Amino acid sequence: MIGLPDGWHLPSQTERNTLITAVGGSSVAGTKLKSTSGWYNNGNGTDAFSFSALPAGGRDYNDEGYTAYFWSSTENGSYYAFHMCFDYYYDNAVLGSHYKNYGKSVRCIKDSE
């Protein structure tokens, strides 16, 4: 993958699902993975797993402070890839897909040794 540091990779959707399961499921993942500050209207999380998701929003939206999107490496057809989304207003994490050319954040995983 272009632009990733050596020894790191973009998580697959399977790895993303493993994370969601480990924190207690998608219905609480937003609260547990969001940072403890920076979210609009005090929509902060507990950051219980030191993921510290910040509300960077997306390049193609005016939603900084409101949402966080993270790409996975798993494609969903020719034009889409899967992502995970957090919102200031909700406790959950949404796993969906979007056009690959949309600007979203990435969180890399250190490769196994």
Side-chain angles (χ1 to χ4, degrees), residues 37-58:
S37 64
W39 290 82
Y40 174 75
N41 203 27
N42 200 28
N44 303 314
T46 63
D47 197 21
F49 292 85
S50 300
F51 190 85
S52 301
L54 296 169

Side-chain angles (χ1 to χ4, degrees), residues 26-76:
S26 63
S27 65
V28 296
T31 297
K32 292 184 177 184
L33 297 175
K34 288 190 296 186
S35 62
T36 58
S37 64
W39 290 82
Y40 174 75
N41 203 27
N42 200 28
N44 303 314
T46 63
D47 197 21
F49 292 85
S50 300
F51 190 85
S52 301
L54 296 169
R59 179 190 68 209
D60 304 296
Y61 307 106
N62 186 23
D63 57 355
E64 183 179 345
Y66 295 87
T67 58
Y69 306 94
F70 297 97
W71 283 121
S72 81
S73 62
T74 306
E75 294 180 316
N76 184 15

